Amino acid sequence: MSVKKYDKFRTTPYPASTQVNDTAYYGYKLKTLDIPLIFQLPLYFRKNHVFLCAGTVTEFTYSESFYATYTDYANGYGYRFNKEFNSNVTRYTGTRLSASCDFEFKNTEGPIQFLLGLGYLSPAMLLKDNGSYFLEQGYSFFFRMGFGYSFVKKKQAQIEFI
């Protein structure tokens, strides 16, 4: 699941002297459910692991909202209008290509593992309907980190008596 928030951006150039309507968006929030299909190539270096990952991510939008302010310059004066939009309809918004590299660091004293990842998401390759959602996203780079728990039991150290 992901939540993307954008604050105070424009959809038209400023000043908009040649345009009838000038639009500024003061808040946009997009909530998506991302379903990955990823293939991993694990590489082992001593106690640490590196995973090279590639695949696709299918994105479903389940909540979208924005608050907009329009300025109408039709009569030579600037009249401002506010507009709000909220949508809680789940819909397919696209499939993206994904590539990443994850680093997993083992804790030698316990079962806790630390994960760092760097990755890339392409723009949507497959869309149900072009322009079906408000803000089309281009490529993006991401950084992720987290903790995990290993269920593998450690072998007891063997003690030899002479």
Side-chain angles (χ1 to χ4, degrees):
M1 299 181 82
S2 67
V3 176
K4 299 169 185 113
K5 293 181 182 180
Y6 303 90
D7 191 26
K8 297 180 184 169
F9 65 97
R10 306 187 77 77
T11 58
T12 57
Y14 182 82
S17 58
T18 60
Q19 303 209 5
V20 175
N21 291 307
D22 182 27
T23 307
Y25 289 91
Y26 289 100
Y28 177 69
K29 189 175 186 181
L30 178 68
K31 294 181 182 180
T32 61
L33 174 65
D34 301 328
I35 301 173
L37 176 62
I38 305 290
F39 296 98
Q40 289 186 335
L41 175 64
L43 304 171
Y44 301 102
F45 297 103
R46 296 186 184 181
K47 300 229 180 234
N48 301 321
H49 301 155
V50 176
F51 298 95
L52 301 177
C53 309
T56 61
V57 176
T58 302
E59 183 179 272
F60 292 90
T61 296
Y62 64 89
S63 177
E64 182 180 27
S65 64
F66 65 83
Y67 176 79
T69 299
Y70 295 91
T71 306
D72 189 352
Y73 293 103
N75 298 328
Y77 300 104
Y79 295 103
R80 298 184 78 120
F81 302 97
N82 294 328
K83 179 181 179 185
E84 284 189 53
F85 172 78
N86 292 309
S87 173
N88 292 322
V89 176
T90 301
R91 65 187 186 282
Y92 168 76
T93 51
T95 299
R96 302 164 167 249
L97 295 178
S98 174
S100 64
C101 183
D102 295 333
F103 304 96
E104 185 180 275
F105 303 97
K106 300 265 185 185
N107 181 352
T108 58
E109 299 299 321
I112 302 297
Q113 301 171 358
F114 182 63
L115 173 81
L116 287 177
L118 299 170
Y120 166 80
L121 276 174
S122 74
M125 304 297 287
L126 302 172
L127 291 173
K128 181 177 180 184
D129 181 19
N130 286 336
S132 63
Y133 57 103
F134 173 74
L135 187 65
E136 291 189 18
Q137 300 173 41
Y139 65 89
S140 61
F141 294 94
F142 60 88
F143 172 76
R144 68 176 156 228
M145 60 187 249
F147 291 96
Y149 185 85
S150 176
F151 292 99
V152 177
K153 292 184 179 180
K154 292 186 177 185
K155 293 181 181 179
Q156 294 282 336
Q158 301 258 339
I159 300 173
E160 290 185 25
F161 293 100
I162 305 179

